[in-house]
Amino acid sequence: MEKIILDFTGAKNWLDIYGVMKKAFNFPYKWGNNLDALFDAMSYYWRNETCLIVRDLATVSKEWRPYMDDILDVFQDIHDETPNVTFIVES
């Protein structure tokens, strides 16, 4: 099983948040920094069993924590459509 770690330690804004995901997933330079682009890219990304490990959400700036909930919803939607992708939240 492949493990991908998303470490959001100290993320202060949406650029930091999407930077973590872009780097972890090796998304292309022109990848869109929004929830729709995240869902679309992740929908076609997975072939093998993969576990996303989400770390340090508690350190994300308070104003962006509700948006992190939206990102976790996208991860859940991906899991629902692609059961070989799971995610664990570690804080």
Side-chain angles (χ1 to χ4, degrees), residues 32-82:
N33 293 328
N34 61 66
L35 295 173
D36 289 334
L38 177 63
F39 181 83
D40 291 345
M42 291 182 74
S43 294
Y44 300 103
Y45 191 80
W46 316 108
R47 301 226 190 300
N48 301 320
E49 291 218 13
T50 305
C51 180
L52 306 179
I53 301 169
V54 181
R55 290 189 177 152
D56 291 325
L57 290 179
T59 68
V60 172
S61 139
K62 287 182 183 181
E63 70 180 295
W64 287 98
R65 287 186 195 159
Y67 194 75
M68 292 304 301
D69 291 337
D70 294 339
I71 289 172
L72 293 177
D73 288 343
V74 170
F75 291 167
Q76 184 62 52
D77 291 343
I78 293 298
H79 171 70
D80 292 346
E81 289 191 12
T82 314

